[in-house]
């Protein structure tokens, strides 16, 4: 089954603690409470930072709207290596833009890797793609 995607955000961070004071700048009270009570030997703050970076990298090209760190509230789901971000309705500029974004994470070889992939609402109209390429002066192959 062919599936189209409208946005992709990827981030990689060194698997290390965040510098002092950064967590309070990038997280909500709810996120800090979760991190303070999370188990395991994971740099949860850095993972949260990376997840938000992936969210922003997927969001901006799609909407041309900036998100601040407090605009996305992230829930990390350690059991399956995923996370969910809720965006306030004030950040969603169009009805086709999601209020919830889902992503995956992996920690390996000293890196924290995160990615967000947004499904497209419908299959790509190939005639539109050809017309768009032709409009740029490149003949379709």
């Amino acid at each position: 089954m062919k599936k189209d995607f409208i946005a992709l955000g990827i981030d990689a961070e060194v698997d290390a603690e965040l510098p002092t004071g950064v967590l309070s700048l990038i997280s909500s009270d709810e996120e800090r409470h979760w991190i303070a009570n999370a188990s395991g030997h994971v740099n949860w703050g850095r993972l949260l930072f990376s997840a938000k970076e992936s969210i922003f990298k997927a969001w901006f090209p799609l909407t041309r709207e900036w998100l601040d760190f407090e605009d996305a509230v992230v829930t990390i789901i350690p059991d399956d290596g995923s996370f969910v971000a809720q965006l306030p309705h004030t950040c969603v500029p169009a009805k086709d833009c999601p209020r919830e974004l889902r992503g995956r994470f992996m920690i390996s070889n000293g890196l924290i890797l995160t990615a967000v992939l947004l499904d497209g609402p419908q299959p790509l109209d190939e005639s539109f793609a050809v017309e768009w390429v032709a409009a740029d002066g490149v003949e379709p192959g």
Side-chain angles (χ1 to χ4, degrees):
M1 178 166 104
K2 182 180 173 186
K3 202 168 194 180
D4 293 315
F5 301 96
I6 58 172
L8 170 67
I10 299 172
D11 189 64
E13 299 288 332
V14 174
D15 185 9
E17 288 186 34
L18 284 173
T20 303
V22 172
L23 183 61
S24 64
L25 298 174
I26 65 142
S27 61
S28 67
D29 290 340
E30 176 184 337
E31 292 164 333
R32 284 191 300 277
H33 177 76
W34 186 88
I35 288 171
N37 294 293
S39 61
H41 300 289
V42 175
N43 290 304
W44 296 114
R46 184 74 70 158
L47 174 58
L48 177 65
F49 178 83
S50 183
K52 289 190 177 196
E53 286 290 311
S54 290
I55 292 160
F56 303 154
K57 289 173 181 178
W59 184 258
F60 183 78
L62 178 64
T63 65
R64 296 291 185 221
E65 297 285 333
W66 289 102
L67 288 176
D68 289 325
F69 283 106
E70 66 271 5
D71 290 332
V73 178
V74 175
T75 301
I76 298 170
I77 307 164
D79 295 341
D80 67 359
S82 70
F83 57 90
V84 178
Q86 299 293 324
L87 301 177
H89 70 281
T90 55
C91 291
V92 182
K95 65 179 179 182
D96 293 335
C97 294
R99 287 194 61 216
E100 181 178 279
L101 287 77
R102 295 183 171 272
R104 305 279 302 167
F105 71 88
M106 181 173 79
I107 301 171
S108 179
N109 296 324
L111 292 174
I112 296 173
L113 309 166
T114 58
V116 173
L117 187 64
L118 299 176
D119 292 338
Q122 57 192 2
L124 176 65
D125 179 351
E126 291 183 16
S127 65
F128 172 76
V130 170
E131 289 174 26
W132 181 76
V133 171
D136 269 4
V138 178
E139 289 300 316

